[in-house]
Amino acid sequence: MSDHDPDALADELSGIITALETTPDNVGLLRREVEIMRQLDMMPEALDATLRLSSLVMIEEGEFLAMEPLG
């Protein structure tokens, strides 16, 4: 699946969101959700997902700050 195809990314994100309904603590899915949201320029949603993720695992400060929208 191409990381540059917005439709494919949106489809993948939809599947991840569905999967997270049954396994909300799946760190791998949460990380991919954040990655896709960032690629789709969904920064507020990516930050929310990052906060959920950070409650499960410790992430590096630089990684977290890179997810904040600029401006």
Side-chain angles (χ1 to χ4, degrees):
M1 179 173 306
S2 172
D3 281 349
H4 302 290
D5 179 3
D7 291 331
L9 288 171
D11 288 344
E12 183 181 356
L13 180 58
S14 178
I16 289 171
I17 291 170
T18 300
L20 285 170
E21 290 176 6
T22 57
T23 57
D25 294 343
N26 185 317
V27 171
L29 286 177
L30 285 168
R31 285 182 183 268
R32 183 63 182 150
E33 178 185 42
V34 169
E35 181 181 328
I36 292 171
M37 287 176 170
R38 291 179 64 198
Q39 290 177 21
L40 293 173
D41 200 29
M42 299 172 63
M43 296 312 269
E45 294 86 352
L47 284 171
D48 288 343
T50 300
L51 291 174
R52 286 194 316 270
L53 179 60
S54 68
S55 72
L56 298 173
V57 296
M58 185 134 300
I59 62 173
E60 294 180 16
E61 180 181 7
E63 183 178 349
F64 180 78
L65 292 175
M67 294 178 189
E68 292 186 36
L70 300 176

PDB file of all heavy atoms in Angstrom, residues 3-43:
ATOM      1  N   ASP A   3       2.158   4.893   0.755  1.00  0.00           N
ATOM      2  CA  ASP A   3       2.003   5.895   1.798  1.00  0.00           C
ATOM      3  C   ASP A   3       1.665   7.258   1.210  1.00  0.00           C
ATOM      4  O   ASP A   3       1.510   8.219   1.932  1.00  0.00           O
ATOM      5  CB  ASP A   3       3.276   5.995   2.636  1.00  0.00           C
ATOM      6  CG  ASP A   3       3.379   4.872   3.654  1.00  0.00           C
ATOM      7  OD1 ASP A   3       2.385   4.158   3.850  1.00  0.00           O
ATOM      8  OD2 ASP A   3       4.451   4.715   4.246  1.00  0.00           O
ATOM      9  N   HIS A   4       1.558   7.357  -0.128  1.00  0.00           N
ATOM     10  CA  HIS A   4       1.289   8.636  -0.767  1.00  0.00           C
ATOM     11  C   HIS A   4      -0.112   8.703  -1.354  1.00  0.00           C
ATOM     12  O   HIS A   4      -0.511   9.736  -1.861  1.00  0.00           O
ATOM     13  CB  HIS A   4       2.326   8.906  -1.859  1.00  0.00           C
ATOM     14  CG  HIS A   4       3.723   8.893  -1.334  1.00  0.00           C
ATOM     15  ND1 HIS A   4       4.220   9.880  -0.500  1.00  0.00           N
ATOM     16  CD2 HIS A   4       4.737   8.013  -1.491  1.00  0.00           C
ATOM     17  CE1 HIS A   4       5.468   9.608  -0.182  1.00  0.00           C
ATOM     18  NE2 HIS A   4       5.806   8.474  -0.766  1.00  0.00           N
ATOM     19  N   ASP A   5      -0.864   7.632  -1.302  1.00  0.00           N
ATOM     20  CA  ASP A   5      -2.216   7.583  -1.856  1.00  0.00           C
ATOM     21  C   ASP A   5      -3.211   7.912  -0.741  1.00  0.00           C
ATOM     22  O   ASP A   5      -3.476   7.078   0.131  1.00  0.00           O
ATOM     23  CB  ASP A   5      -2.490   6.195  -2.435  1.00  0.00           C
ATOM     24  CG  ASP A   5      -3.887   6.050  -3.007  1.00  0.00           C
ATOM     25  OD1 ASP A   5      -4.653   7.040  -3.014  1.00  0.00           O
ATOM     26  OD2 ASP A   5      -4.217   4.938  -3.460  1.00  0.00           O
ATOM     27  N   PRO A   6      -3.773   9.132  -0.742  1.00  0.00           N
ATOM     28  CA  PRO A   6      -4.679   9.527   0.344  1.00  0.00           C
ATOM     29  C   PRO A   6      -5.881   8.603   0.505  1.00  0.00           C
ATOM     30  O   PRO A   6      -6.313   8.349   1.627  1.00  0.00           O
ATOM     31  CB  PRO A   6      -5.129  10.939  -0.051  1.00  0.00           C
ATOM     32  CG  PRO A   6      -4.115  11.426  -1.017  1.00  0.00           C
ATOM     33  CD  PRO A   6      -3.559  10.209  -1.702  1.00  0.00           C
ATOM     34  N   ASP A   7      -6.415   8.102  -0.606  1.00  0.00           N
ATOM     35  CA  ASP A   7      -7.570   7.200  -0.499  1.00  0.00           C
ATOM     36  C   ASP A   7      -7.187   5.895   0.182  1.00  0.00           C
ATOM     37  O   ASP A   7      -7.925   5.382   1.027  1.00  0.00           O
ATOM     38  CB  ASP A   7      -8.166   6.920  -1.879  1.00  0.00           C
ATOM     39  CG  ASP A   7      -8.831   8.161  -2.482  1.00  0.00           C
ATOM     40  OD1 ASP A   7      -9.326   9.009  -1.699  1.00  0.00           O
ATOM     41  OD2 ASP A   7      -8.844   8.272  -3.718  1.00  0.00           O
ATOM     42  N   ALA A   8      -6.031   5.365  -0.181  1.00  0.00           N
ATOM     43  CA  ALA A   8      -5.561   4.122   0.440  1.00  0.00           C
ATOM     44  C   ALA A   8      -5.260   4.354   1.921  1.00  0.00           C
ATOM     45  O   ALA A   8      -5.574   3.506   2.763  1.00  0.00           O
ATOM     46  CB  ALA A   8      -4.328   3.598  -0.285  1.00  0.00           C
ATOM     47  N   LEU A   9      -4.666   5.503   2.232  1.00  0.00           N
ATOM     48  CA  LEU A   9      -4.378   5.823   3.636  1.00  0.00           C
ATOM     49  C   LEU A   9      -5.679   5.956   4.430  1.00  0.00           C
ATOM     50  O   LEU A   9      -5.769   5.467   5.560  1.00  0.00           O
ATOM     51  CB  LEU A   9      -3.553   7.107   3.740  1.00  0.00           C
ATOM     52  CG  LEU A   9      -2.105   7.013   3.298  1.00  0.00           C
ATOM     53  CD1 LEU A   9      -1.475   8.404   3.249  1.00  0.00           C
ATOM     54  CD2 LEU A   9      -1.313   6.098   4.219  1.00  0.00           C
ATOM     55  N   ALA A  10      -6.668   6.618   3.851  1.00  0.00           N
ATOM     56  CA  ALA A  10      -7.954   6.779   4.530  1.00  0.00           C
ATOM     57  C   ALA A  10      -8.622   5.425   4.769  1.00  0.00           C
ATOM     58  O   ALA A  10      -9.193   5.187   5.840  1.00  0.00           O
ATOM     59  CB  ALA A  10      -8.867   7.706   3.728  1.00  0.00           C
ATOM     60  N   ASP A  11      -8.535   4.542   3.784  1.00  0.00           N
ATOM     61  CA  ASP A  11      -9.091   3.194   3.949  1.00  0.00           C
ATOM     62  C   ASP A  11      -8.370   2.436   5.055  1.00  0.00           C
ATOM     63  O   ASP A  11      -9.000   1.773   5.885  1.00  0.00           O
ATOM     64  CB  ASP A  11      -8.998   2.403   2.642  1.00  0.00           C
ATOM     65  CG  ASP A  11      -9.968   2.892   1.585  1.00  0.00           C
ATOM     66  OD1 ASP A  11     -10.921   3.631   1.926  1.00  0.00           O
ATOM     67  OD2 ASP A  11      -9.762   2.543   0.399  1.00  0.00           O
ATOM     68  N   GLU A  12      -7.036   2.538   5.062  1.00  0.00           N
ATOM     69  CA  GLU A  12      -6.260   1.863   6.106  1.00  0.00           C
ATOM     70  C   GLU A  12      -6.608   2.438   7.470  1.00  0.00           C
ATOM     71  O   GLU A  12      -6.768   1.704   8.458  1.00  0.00           O
ATOM     72  CB  GLU A  12      -4.765   1.981   5.831  1.00  0.00           C
ATOM     73  CG  GLU A  12      -3.926   1.232   6.846  1.00  0.00           C
ATOM     74  CD  GLU A  12      -2.427   1.340   6.613  1.00  0.00           C
ATOM     75  OE1 GLU A  12      -2.000   1.941   5.613  1.00  0.00           O
ATOM     76  OE2 GLU A  12      -1.684   0.802   7.466  1.00  0.00           O
ATOM     77  N   LEU A  13      -6.720   3.762   7.558  1.00  0.00           N
ATOM     78  CA  LEU A  13      -7.058   4.413   8.821  1.00  0.00           C
ATOM     79  C   LEU A  13      -8.421   3.949   9.321  1.00  0.00           C
ATOM     80  O   LEU A  13      -8.589   3.674  10.510  1.00  0.00           O
ATOM     81  CB  LEU A  13      -7.039   5.934   8.652  1.00  0.00           C
ATOM     82  CG  LEU A  13      -7.378   6.761   9.889  1.00  0.00           C
ATOM     83  CD1 LEU A  13      -6.432   6.447  11.045  1.00  0.00           C
ATOM     84  CD2 LEU A  13      -7.351   8.240   9.550  1.00  0.00           C
ATOM     85  N   SER A  14      -9.380   3.824   8.427  1.00  0.00           N
ATOM     86  CA  SER A  14     -10.704   3.346   8.805  1.00  0.00           C
ATOM     87  C   SER A  14     -10.628   1.953   9.417  1.00  0.00           C
ATOM     88  O   SER A  14     -11.262   1.665  10.441  1.00  0.00           O
ATOM     89  CB  SER A  14     -11.620   3.341   7.581  1.00  0.00           C
ATOM     90  OG  SER A  14     -12.886   2.848   7.908  1.00  0.00           O
ATOM     91  N   GLY A  15      -9.837   1.088   8.809  1.00  0.00           N
ATOM     92  CA  GLY A  15      -9.651  -0.259   9.348  1.00  0.00           C
ATOM     93  C   GLY A  15      -8.983  -0.254  10.702  1.00  0.00           C
ATOM     94  O   GLY A  15      -9.343  -1.032  11.598  1.00  0.00           O
ATOM     95  N   ILE A  16      -8.014   0.628  10.874  1.00  0.00           N
ATOM     96  CA  ILE A  16      -7.311   0.723  12.157  1.00  0.00           C
ATOM     97  C   ILE A  16      -8.257   1.212  13.241  1.00  0.00           C
ATOM     98  O   ILE A  16      -8.272   0.672  14.354  1.00  0.00           O
ATOM     99  CB  ILE A  16      -6.078   1.647  12.029  1.00  0.00           C
ATOM    100  CG1 ILE A  16      -5.005   0.950  11.198  1.00  0.00           C
ATOM    101  CG2 ILE A  16      -5.544   2.042  13.403  1.00  0.00           C
ATOM    102  CD1 ILE A  16      -3.834   1.838  10.827  1.00  0.00           C
ATOM    103  N   ILE A  17      -9.047   2.223  12.924  1.00  0.00           N
ATOM    104  CA  ILE A  17     -10.005   2.742  13.906  1.00  0.00           C
ATOM    105  C   ILE A  17     -10.990   1.656  14.320  1.00  0.00           C
ATOM    106  O   ILE A  17     -11.293   1.498  15.510  1.00  0.00           O
ATOM    107  CB  ILE A  17     -10.724   3.990  13.345  1.00  0.00           C
ATOM    108  CG1 ILE A  17      -9.725   5.146  13.249  1.00  0.00           C
ATOM    109  CG2 ILE A  17     -11.927   4.365  14.204  1.00  0.00           C
ATOM    110  CD1 ILE A  17     -10.231   6.356  12.483  1.00  0.00           C
ATOM    111  N   THR A  18     -11.438   0.869  13.371  1.00  0.00           N
ATOM    112  CA  THR A  18     -12.339  -0.247  13.674  1.00  0.00           C
ATOM    113  C   THR A  18     -11.650  -1.268  14.571  1.00  0.00           C
ATOM    114  O   THR A  18     -12.227  -1.732  15.564  1.00  0.00           O
ATOM    115  CB  THR A  18     -12.833  -0.909  12.375  1.00  0.00           C
ATOM    116  OG1 THR A  18     -13.540   0.060  11.606  1.00  0.00           O
ATOM    117  CG2 THR A  18     -13.734  -2.095  12.663  1.00  0.00           C
ATOM    118  N   ALA A  19     -10.409  -1.611  14.244  1.00  0.00           N
ATOM    119  CA  ALA A  19      -9.658  -2.584  15.044  1.00  0.00           C
ATOM    120  C   ALA A  19      -9.406  -2.070  16.455  1.00  0.00           C
ATOM    121  O   ALA A  19      -9.440  -2.843  17.423  1.00  0.00           O
ATOM    122  CB  ALA A  19      -8.344  -2.925  14.350  1.00  0.00           C
ATOM    123  N   LEU A  20      -9.183  -0.764  16.596  1.00  0.00           N
ATOM    124  CA  LEU A  20      -8.918  -0.192  17.918  1.00  0.00           C
ATOM    125  C   LEU A  20     -10.154  -0.197  18.807  1.00  0.00           C
ATOM    126  O   LEU A  20     -10.027  -0.099  20.030  1.00  0.00           O
ATOM    127  CB  LEU A  20      -8.351   1.225  17.781  1.00  0.00           C
ATOM    128  CG  LEU A  20      -6.903   1.304  17.334  1.00  0.00           C
ATOM    129  CD1 LEU A  20      -6.516   2.744  17.001  1.00  0.00           C
ATOM    130  CD2 LEU A  20      -5.961   0.721  18.388  1.00  0.00           C
ATOM    131  N   GLU A  21     -11.329  -0.344  18.214  1.00  0.00           N
ATOM    132  CA  GLU A  21     -12.542  -0.451  19.021  1.00  0.00           C
ATOM    133  C   GLU A  21     -12.529  -1.726  19.861  1.00  0.00           C
ATOM    134  O   GLU A  21     -13.064  -1.751  20.965  1.00  0.00           O
ATOM    135  CB  GLU A  21     -13.784  -0.416  18.141  1.00  0.00           C
ATOM    136  CG  GLU A  21     -14.045   0.944  17.524  1.00  0.00           C
ATOM    137  CD  GLU A  21     -15.225   0.950  16.570  1.00  0.00           C
ATOM    138  OE1 GLU A  21     -15.933  -0.074  16.463  1.00  0.00           O
ATOM    139  OE2 GLU A  21     -15.429   1.980  15.918  1.00  0.00           O
ATOM    140  N   THR A  22     -11.904  -2.782  19.342  1.00  0.00           N
ATOM    141  CA  THR A  22     -11.849  -4.045  20.082  1.00  0.00           C
ATOM    142  C   THR A  22     -10.525  -4.235  20.809  1.00  0.00           C
ATOM    143  O   THR A  22     -10.468  -4.999  21.766  1.00  0.00           O
ATOM    144  CB  THR A  22     -12.094  -5.248  19.145  1.00  0.00           C
ATOM    145  OG1 THR A  22     -11.146  -5.222  18.095  1.00  0.00           O
ATOM    146  CG2 THR A  22     -13.500  -5.200  18.572  1.00  0.00           C
ATOM    147  N   THR A  23      -9.469  -3.566  20.340  1.00  0.00           N
ATOM    148  CA  THR A  23      -8.155  -3.674  20.997  1.00  0.00           C
ATOM    149  C   THR A  23      -7.557  -2.282  21.188  1.00  0.00           C
ATOM    150  O   THR A  23      -6.583  -1.920  20.533  1.00  0.00           O
ATOM    151  CB  THR A  23      -7.191  -4.552  20.176  1.00  0.00           C
ATOM    152  OG1 THR A  23      -7.077  -3.990  18.857  1.00  0.00           O
ATOM    153  CG2 THR A  23      -7.647  -5.990  20.097  1.00  0.00           C
ATOM    154  N   PRO A  24      -8.155  -1.480  22.094  1.00  0.00           N
ATOM    155  CA  PRO A  24      -7.730  -0.085  22.234  1.00  0.00           C
ATOM    156  C   PRO A  24      -6.306   0.103  22.744  1.00  0.00           C
ATOM    157  O   PRO A  24      -5.741   1.191  22.608  1.00  0.00           O
ATOM    158  CB  PRO A  24      -8.745   0.500  23.221  1.00  0.00           C
ATOM    159  CG  PRO A  24      -9.263  -0.671  23.978  1.00  0.00           C
ATOM    160  CD  PRO A  24      -9.217  -1.834  23.028  1.00  0.00           C
ATOM    161  N   ASP A  25      -5.707  -0.930  23.311  1.00  0.00           N
ATOM    162  CA  ASP A  25      -4.348  -0.812  23.842  1.00  0.00           C
ATOM    163  C   ASP A  25      -3.297  -1.382  22.888  1.00  0.00           C
ATOM    164  O   ASP A  25      -2.160  -1.625  23.300  1.00  0.00           O
ATOM    165  CB  ASP A  25      -4.241  -1.526  25.194  1.00  0.00           C
ATOM    166  CG  ASP A  25      -5.087  -0.849  26.256  1.00  0.00           C
ATOM    167  OD1 ASP A  25      -5.481   0.320  26.062  1.00  0.00           O
ATOM    168  OD2 ASP A  25      -5.361  -1.481  27.292  1.00  0.00           O
ATOM    169  N   ASN A  26      -3.638  -1.561  21.634  1.00  0.00           N
ATOM    170  CA  ASN A  26      -2.709  -2.109  20.655  1.00  0.00           C
ATOM    171  C   ASN A  26      -1.752  -0.996  20.217  1.00  0.00           C
ATOM    172  O   ASN A  26      -2.090  -0.133  19.407  1.00  0.00           O
ATOM    173  CB  ASN A  26      -3.474  -2.674  19.457  1.00  0.00           C
ATOM    174  CG  ASN A  26      -2.574  -3.372  18.469  1.00  0.00           C
ATOM    175  OD1 ASN A  26      -1.503  -2.899  18.144  1.00  0.00           O
ATOM    176  ND2 ASN A  26      -3.045  -4.504  17.979  1.00  0.00           N
ATOM    177  N   VAL A  27      -0.555  -1.019  20.777  1.00  0.00           N
ATOM    178  CA  VAL A  27       0.433   0.031  20.548  1.00  0.00           C
ATOM    179  C   VAL A  27       0.809   0.131  19.065  1.00  0.00           C
ATOM    180  O   VAL A  27       0.935   1.234  18.522  1.00  0.00           O
ATOM    181  CB  VAL A  27       1.676  -0.191  21.434  1.00  0.00           C
ATOM    182  CG1 VAL A  27       2.805   0.762  21.060  1.00  0.00           C
ATOM    183  CG2 VAL A  27       1.306  -0.046  22.902  1.00  0.00           C
ATOM    184  N   GLY A  28       0.960  -0.990  18.404  1.00  0.00           N
ATOM    185  CA  GLY A  28       1.317  -0.970  16.990  1.00  0.00           C
ATOM    186  C   GLY A  28       0.264  -0.273  16.143  1.00  0.00           C
ATOM    187  O   GLY A  28       0.587   0.528  15.267  1.00  0.00           O
ATOM    188  N   LEU A  29      -1.004  -0.577  16.420  1.00  0.00           N
ATOM    189  CA  LEU A  29      -2.090   0.081  15.687  1.00  0.00           C
ATOM    190  C   LEU A  29      -2.142   1.573  15.997  1.00  0.00           C
ATOM    191  O   LEU A  29      -2.366   2.393  15.100  1.00  0.00           O
ATOM    192  CB  LEU A  29      -3.441  -0.557  16.017  1.00  0.00           C
ATOM    193  CG  LEU A  29      -3.722  -1.926  15.410  1.00  0.00           C
ATOM    194  CD1 LEU A  29      -5.073  -2.451  15.895  1.00  0.00           C
ATOM    195  CD2 LEU A  29      -3.699  -1.861  13.892  1.00  0.00           C
ATOM    196  N   LEU A  30      -1.939   1.925  17.259  1.00  0.00           N
ATOM    197  CA  LEU A  30      -1.951   3.342  17.627  1.00  0.00           C
ATOM    198  C   LEU A  30      -0.825   4.103  16.929  1.00  0.00           C
ATOM    199  O   LEU A  30      -1.034   5.215  16.440  1.00  0.00           O
ATOM    200  CB  LEU A  30      -1.841   3.513  19.141  1.00  0.00           C
ATOM    201  CG  LEU A  30      -3.102   3.206  19.928  1.00  0.00           C
ATOM    202  CD1 LEU A  30      -2.794   3.111  21.419  1.00  0.00           C
ATOM    203  CD2 LEU A  30      -4.162   4.269  19.668  1.00  0.00           C
ATOM    204  N   ARG A  31       0.353   3.501  16.874  1.00  0.00           N
ATOM    205  CA  ARG A  31       1.476   4.158  16.186  1.00  0.00           C
ATOM    206  C   ARG A  31       1.165   4.351  14.706  1.00  0.00           C
ATOM    207  O   ARG A  31       1.428   5.412  14.144  1.00  0.00           O
ATOM    208  CB  ARG A  31       2.755   3.350  16.346  1.00  0.00           C
ATOM    209  CG  ARG A  31       3.373   3.445  17.710  1.00  0.00           C
ATOM    210  CD  ARG A  31       4.677   2.633  17.750  1.00  0.00           C
ATOM    211  NE  ARG A  31       5.256   2.638  19.061  1.00  0.00           N
ATOM    212  CZ  ARG A  31       6.162   3.533  19.469  1.00  0.00           C
ATOM    213  NH1 ARG A  31       6.572   4.473  18.656  1.00  0.00           N
ATOM    214  NH2 ARG A  31       6.649   3.470  20.685  1.00  0.00           N
ATOM    215  N   ARG A  32       0.602   3.353  14.077  1.00  0.00           N
ATOM    216  CA  ARG A  32       0.265   3.467  12.654  1.00  0.00           C
ATOM    217  C   ARG A  32      -0.846   4.494  12.450  1.00  0.00           C
ATOM    218  O   ARG A  32      -0.827   5.261  11.487  1.00  0.00           O
ATOM    219  CB  ARG A  32      -0.142   2.093  12.089  1.00  0.00           C
ATOM    220  CG  ARG A  32      -0.444   2.114  10.620  1.00  0.00           C
ATOM    221  CD  ARG A  32       0.761   2.490   9.771  1.00  0.00           C
ATOM    222  NE  ARG A  32       0.372   2.524   8.363  1.00  0.00           N
ATOM    223  CZ  ARG A  32       0.927   3.304   7.449  1.00  0.00           C
ATOM    224  NH1 ARG A  32       1.925   4.091   7.769  1.00  0.00           N
ATOM    225  NH2 ARG A  32       0.500   3.291   6.211  1.00  0.00           N
ATOM    226  N   GLU A  33      -1.807   4.519  13.375  1.00  0.00           N
ATOM    227  CA  GLU A  33      -2.879   5.512  13.299  1.00  0.00           C
ATOM    228  C   GLU A  33      -2.296   6.924  13.308  1.00  0.00           C
ATOM    229  O   GLU A  33      -2.671   7.767  12.487  1.00  0.00           O
ATOM    230  CB  GLU A  33      -3.843   5.331  14.470  1.00  0.00           C
ATOM    231  CG  GLU A  33      -4.966   6.349  14.496  1.00  0.00           C
ATOM    232  CD  GLU A  33      -5.838   6.225  15.734  1.00  0.00           C
ATOM    233  OE1 GLU A  33      -5.311   6.024  16.845  1.00  0.00           O
ATOM    234  OE2 GLU A  33      -7.055   6.357  15.570  1.00  0.00           O
ATOM    235  N   VAL A  34      -1.368   7.187  14.208  1.00  0.00           N
ATOM    236  CA  VAL A  34      -0.732   8.499  14.297  1.00  0.00           C
ATOM    237  C   VAL A  34       0.020   8.813  13.004  1.00  0.00           C
ATOM    238  O   VAL A  34      -0.090   9.913  12.451  1.00  0.00           O
ATOM    239  CB  VAL A  34       0.212   8.576  15.520  1.00  0.00           C
ATOM    240  CG1 VAL A  34       1.083   9.830  15.461  1.00  0.00           C
ATOM    241  CG2 VAL A  34      -0.579   8.529  16.816  1.00  0.00           C
ATOM    242  N   GLU A  35       0.765   7.847  12.514  1.00  0.00           N
ATOM    243  CA  GLU A  35       1.539   8.036  11.287  1.00  0.00           C
ATOM    244  C   GLU A  35       0.620   8.412  10.112  1.00  0.00           C
ATOM    245  O   GLU A  35       0.903   9.352   9.361  1.00  0.00           O
ATOM    246  CB  GLU A  35       2.306   6.759  10.977  1.00  0.00           C
ATOM    247  CG  GLU A  35       3.173   6.824   9.755  1.00  0.00           C
ATOM    248  CD  GLU A  35       3.878   5.497   9.491  1.00  0.00           C
ATOM    249  OE1 GLU A  35       4.206   4.776  10.455  1.00  0.00           O
ATOM    250  OE2 GLU A  35       4.092   5.182   8.315  1.00  0.00           O
ATOM    251  N   ILE A  36      -0.465   7.684   9.961  1.00  0.00           N
ATOM    252  CA  ILE A  36      -1.391   7.956   8.859  1.00  0.00           C
ATOM    253  C   ILE A  36      -2.056   9.319   9.041  1.00  0.00           C
ATOM    254  O   ILE A  36      -2.170  10.099   8.082  1.00  0.00           O
ATOM    255  CB  ILE A  36      -2.453   6.849   8.744  1.00  0.00           C
ATOM    256  CG1 ILE A  36      -1.811   5.544   8.296  1.00  0.00           C
ATOM    257  CG2 ILE A  36      -3.561   7.257   7.766  1.00  0.00           C
ATOM    258  CD1 ILE A  36      -2.742   4.344   8.372  1.00  0.00           C
ATOM    259  N   MET A  37      -2.485   9.615  10.245  1.00  0.00           N
ATOM    260  CA  MET A  37      -3.131  10.908  10.494  1.00  0.00           C
ATOM    261  C   MET A  37      -2.200  12.060  10.152  1.00  0.00           C
ATOM    262  O   MET A  37      -2.630  13.074   9.590  1.00  0.00           O
ATOM    263  CB  MET A  37      -3.607  11.000  11.939  1.00  0.00           C
ATOM    264  CG  MET A  37      -4.804  10.150  12.234  1.00  0.00           C
ATOM    265  SD  MET A  37      -5.222  10.232  13.990  1.00  0.00           S
ATOM    266  CE  MET A  37      -6.804   9.413  13.986  1.00  0.00           C
ATOM    267  N   ARG A  38      -0.926  11.915  10.489  1.00  0.00           N
ATOM    268  CA  ARG A  38       0.047  12.956  10.152  1.00  0.00           C
ATOM    269  C   ARG A  38       0.180  13.088   8.640  1.00  0.00           C
ATOM    270  O   ARG A  38       0.249  14.194   8.106  1.00  0.00           O
ATOM    271  CB  ARG A  38       1.395  12.649  10.790  1.00  0.00           C
ATOM    272  CG  ARG A  38       1.360  12.785  12.315  1.00  0.00           C
ATOM    273  CD  ARG A  38       2.671  12.452  12.947  1.00  0.00           C
ATOM    274  NE  ARG A  38       3.672  13.415  12.522  1.00  0.00           N
ATOM    275  CZ  ARG A  38       4.974  13.216  12.619  1.00  0.00           C
ATOM    276  NH1 ARG A  38       5.432  12.094  13.112  1.00  0.00           N
ATOM    277  NH2 ARG A  38       5.823  14.139  12.226  1.00  0.00           N
ATOM    278  N   GLN A  39       0.213  11.967   7.929  1.00  0.00           N
ATOM    279  CA  GLN A  39       0.333  12.004   6.469  1.00  0.00           C
ATOM    280  C   GLN A  39      -0.892  12.636   5.820  1.00  0.00           C
ATOM    281  O   GLN A  39      -0.786  13.252   4.757  1.00  0.00           O
ATOM    282  CB  GLN A  39       0.554  10.597   5.907  1.00  0.00           C
ATOM    283  CG  GLN A  39       1.916  10.038   6.247  1.00  0.00           C
ATOM    284  CD  GLN A  39       2.095   8.624   5.742  1.00  0.00           C
ATOM    285  OE1 GLN A  39       1.411   8.177   4.837  1.00  0.00           O
ATOM    286  NE2 GLN A  39       3.030   7.908   6.341  1.00  0.00           N
ATOM    287  N   LEU A  40      -2.041  12.491   6.467  1.00  0.00           N
ATOM    288  CA  LEU A  40      -3.282  13.068   5.946  1.00  0.00           C
ATOM    289  C   LEU A  40      -3.519  14.481   6.491  1.00  0.00           C
ATOM    290  O   LEU A  40      -4.589  15.047   6.284  1.00  0.00           O
ATOM    291  CB  LEU A  40      -4.469  12.158   6.283  1.00  0.00           C
ATOM    292  CG  LEU A  40      -4.478  10.801   5.595  1.00  0.00           C
ATOM    293  CD1 LEU A  40      -5.609   9.935   6.131  1.00  0.00           C
ATOM    294  CD2 LEU A  40      -4.589  10.965   4.088  1.00  0.00           C
ATOM    295  N   ASP A  41      -2.528  15.024   7.204  1.00  0.00           N
ATOM    296  CA  ASP A  41      -2.594  16.372   7.776  1.00  0.00           C
ATOM    297  C   ASP A  41      -3.752  16.519   8.762  1.00  0.00           C
ATOM    298  O   ASP A  41      -4.426  17.543   8.813  1.00  0.00           O
ATOM    299  CB  ASP A  41      -2.686  17.426   6.665  1.00  0.00           C
ATOM    300  CG  ASP A  41      -2.267  18.798   7.170  1.00  0.00           C
ATOM    301  OD1 ASP A  41      -1.443  18.869   8.101  1.00  0.00           O
ATOM    302  OD2 ASP A  41      -2.761  19.800   6.625  1.00  0.00           O
ATOM    303  N   MET A  42      -3.957  15.474   9.544  1.00  0.00           N
ATOM    304  CA  MET A  42      -4.988  15.469  10.585  1.00  0.00           C
ATOM    305  C   MET A  42      -4.301  15.689  11.934  1.00  0.00           C
ATOM    306  O   MET A  42      -4.352  14.847  12.820  1.00  0.00           O
ATOM    307  CB  MET A  42      -5.739  14.134  10.570  1.00  0.00           C
ATOM    308  CG  MET A  42      -6.453  13.825   9.278  1.00  0.00           C
ATOM    309  SD  MET A  42      -7.122  12.134   9.230  1.00  0.00           S
ATOM    310  CE  MET A  42      -8.308  12.168  10.575  1.00  0.00           C
ATOM    311  N   MET A  43      -3.656  16.839  12.081  1.00  0.00           N
ATOM    312  CA  MET A  43      -2.809  17.062  13.238  1.00  0.00           C
ATOM    313  C   MET A  43      -3.540  17.030  14.583  1.00  0.00           C
ATOM    314  O   MET A  43      -3.047  16.403  15.514  1.00  0.00           O
ATOM    315  CB  MET A  43      -2.014  18.359  13.065  1.00  0.00           C
ATOM    316  CG  MET A  43      -1.052  18.285  11.878  1.00  0.00           C
ATOM    317  SD  MET A  43      -0.047  16.773  11.857  1.00  0.00           S
ATOM    318  CE  MET A  43       1.357  17.340  12.772  1.00  0.00           C
TER     319      MET A  43
END
